[in-house]
Amino acid sequence: MDFDLFMQDVVKVARTDITEAGYEEARTAEEVDEALSREGTTLVMVNSTCGCAGGVARPAAGNAIHYDKRPDHLLTVFAGQDPEATERARTYFEGFAPSSPSFALLKDGKILAMVERNQIEGHSAMDVSAKLQSLFDQYCEEV
């Protein structure tokens, strides 16, 4: 099997998983700036092809938003695939080291909280979903 073809399939599945869950994909720095300039709360999922992204983070991202409180906007960038967008998104995560997969909750473009890789890897999707929902309880409005 050709490794490049295999990875293209893995990336396609990873992109589809998160966009079908309702997240808007940003592939350029300009798209990130546009998305994060909107008023309200935004959950940014930094996607990845690693096992903890596919087995924990993406399922948690899809599950967590089915809740009484949720962010106004859902955004995803893809580490390792869309480096310009990912790097720009990380400039908004002031005080946090680059981490993928990860989640950042922002309000009006300002970082409120992060769920970093060390809070994802080795945990269940339901644990991570509960962490996200706890942040939604703190910072988001009821829908």
Side-chain angles (χ1 to χ4, degrees):
M1 172 178 263
D2 183 283
F3 181 74
D4 289 333
L5 287 175
F6 171 75
M7 285 309 296
Q8 287 176 17
D9 287 343
V10 169
V11 168
K12 182 179 178 185
V13 167
R15 286 188 192 278
T16 302
D17 279 351
I18 197 69
T19 57
E20 285 184 352
Y23 288 71
E24 170 190 359
E25 188 172 47
R27 291 189 175 194
T28 67
E30 293 78 17
E31 290 173 348
V32 169
D33 287 338
E34 183 180 321
L36 294 181
S37 69
R38 296 181 287 211
E39 288 185 14
T41 52
T42 303
L43 180 65
V44 180
M45 192 249 181
V46 179
N47 202 354
S48 171
T49 58
C50 70
C52 64
V56 180
R58 287 193 301 273
N63 184 63
I65 60 174
H66 299 285
Y67 194 61
D68 292 340
K69 292 183 177 182
R70 62 172 271 183
D72 300 308
H73 312 285
L74 304 171
L75 184 71
T76 184
V77 296
F78 205 131
Q81 300 302 310
D82 301 319
E84 179 187 312
T86 304
E87 184 59 37
R88 182 62 59 90
R90 286 176 171 155
T91 66
Y92 289 85
F93 309 159
E94 191 173 309
F96 294 93
S99 176
S100 60
S102 62
F103 295 92
L105 185 63
L106 298 96
K107 181 169 184 166
D108 302 333
K110 304 293 183 199
I111 189 74
L112 297 171
M114 288 282 299
V115 176
E116 298 174 275
R117 181 185 177 110
N118 67 350
Q119 297 170 295
I120 297 169
E121 189 174 32
H123 298 271
S124 73
M126 293 311 294
D127 289 341
V128 174
S129 183
K131 286 176 191 174
L132 292 171
Q133 289 172 342
S134 176
L135 294 176
F136 300 167
D137 280 335
Q138 284 182 268
Y139 299 109
C140 300
E141 299 295 322
E142 195 165 322
V143 288

